[in-house]
Amino acid sequence: MKILVTGGAGYIGSHVVKALGEKKYDVAVYDNLSSGNRWALLYGELFEGDLSDIKRLETVIESFKPHAVMHFAASIVVNESVINPLKYYNNNTSNTINLLNAMIKHKVNTFVFSSTAAVYGIPDKIPVTEDDPMLPINPYGSSKMMNEIILRDLSNANSDFRYISLRYFNVAGADNECRIGQAYKDPTHLITRALKTAIGQFSKMQIYGTDYNTPDGTCIRDYIHVDDLSNAHILALQYLFDGGQNNIFNCGYSCGYSVKDVIDRVKKVTKKDFSVEEVLRRQGDPPLLVADSSKIRRVLGWNPQFDELEIIIESAWRWEQKLKKLFNE
Ligand code: UFG
């Protein structure tokens, strides 16, 4: 089966491309390389292009003739979305419409969508289930929620079109063989910032807010290893190919760690002490986000292999050390 992966040169996309390649799928990647890297592709052919370039996109779909599309290409930084919302509505919502238009035109009817826990906003109860309302508190979450609504309406209008939305919680970690991992030019994610501070790339790190209504006052998140998330994509794709119907799944471990917990674990794993400064809250951060992941375990038979924060941090730490050597970052 042929799978077109948008954003397949990026952090999560490249891990899913690896998993698809290992399962012998025929993969092509559509990526504008704005945050992805050519070296991150362990399998498949790269078609360089932007999702706003409809002609290029259609040419690639016409020539590759995918049986399914997996859509990762997106802007993902919560705080940036508050400052520059139109970037998020363009890159995440308009570009998804371009992609869906091209798919419908060329009769590609199977779709796996990268959604996010940010669609929930500040949930009434934790852990949050897929049936809880979507009430995003930042443009990033809103841009992804709009896509979920578009997918629902499109599949209602077109019974041939089937999709799965995977709502990612906080993705971290790297390939176990250390071939690929997170390599953003301007990393903002907690585990990456902490590791880059441990390795000396930053002189200190900051905790954004210690006055949240949580046990230690810092935000709580559900961290998931990127390879477990990749495996969820393979199961979702297989489910659709086997005739499964539209569905939405949380991707997390149902286990929450505070910012302070994460920093302590990073110090333990790396055996490095580093300076940590407590500063004001960052805009757009919900205090608490933890997944109820029983649905994906039950329906797709998802069985995570790396569901332990230290395993995630260890793999990301190996990757950061390799990155430093390779690129002398
Ligand atoms: N944080 C710090 N200091 C840092 C970086 C982050 O205190 O240097 C805090 C944040 O304020 C937040 C927590 O650590 O409370 C996690 O922040 P991240 O930037 O690592 O991740 P987010 O929770 O903001 O967002 C991530 C993804 C989104 C996804 C969301 C789902 O980037 O795409 O997880 O929970 F939607």
Side-chain angles (χ1 to χ4, degrees), residues 15 18 42 173-181 225-227 315:
H15 285 78
K18 173 188 78 168
L42 300 181
D175 169 46
N176 265 333
E177 290 173 46
C178 221
R179 294 165 295 177
I180 50 177
H225 193 291
V226 65
D227 277 338
S315 76

Side-chain angles (χ1 to χ4, degrees), residues 11 28 37 58 78 238 242 323:
Y11 168 51
N37 297 287
E58 288 204 6
V78 170
Q238 203 53 57
D242 290 345
L323 257 190

Side-chain angles (χ1 to χ4, degrees), residues 76-79 115-119 140 168-171 188-191 193-194 205-209 212 218-223 259 263 282 284-287 289:
I76 57 152
V77 181
V78 170
N79 184 243
S115 190
T116 170
V119 297
Y140 168 67
Y168 309 166
F169 283 66
N170 287 57
V171 190
T188 61
H189 290 100
L190 177 64
I191 290 180
R193 296 286 304 189
M205 73 166 301
Q206 297 185 317
I207 297 181
Y208 302 131
Y212 286 97
T218 67
C219 290
I220 292 179
R221 295 287 183 275
D222 186 342
Y223 294 88
V259 173
I263 292 173
R282 191 172 74 171
D285 278 340
L289 265 181

Side-chain angles (χ1 to χ4, degrees), residues 45 110 113 145-146 214 280 282 290 311:
E45 184 178 356
T110 304
F113 176 59
M145 176 187 74
M146 287 178 195
T214 59
L280 293 178
R282 191 172 74 171
V290 178
I311 295 179

Side-chain angles (χ1 to χ4, degrees), residues 25-89:
Y25 285 99
D26 185 357
V27 184
V29 166
Y30 191 81
D31 199 301
N32 65 7
L33 299 181
S34 62
S35 62
N37 297 287
R38 221 174 268 281
W39 53 255
L41 284 186
L42 300 181
Y43 293 90
E45 184 178 356
L46 172 67
F47 293 94
E48 209 174 325
D50 198 285
L51 287 169
S52 63
D53 185 348
I54 295 169
K55 230 172 129 189
R56 170 81 175 140
L57 178 62
E58 288 204 6
T59 306
V60 169
I61 290 181
E62 260 164 38
S63 67
F64 183 62
K65 298 187 174 36
H67 298 97
V69 173
M70 298 178 111
H71 178 35
F72 298 88
S75 299
I76 57 152
V77 181
V78 170
N79 184 243
E80 183 193 41
S81 80
V82 178
I83 294 159
N84 190 358
L86 285 181
K87 175 175 174 184
Y88 281 71
Y89 294 120

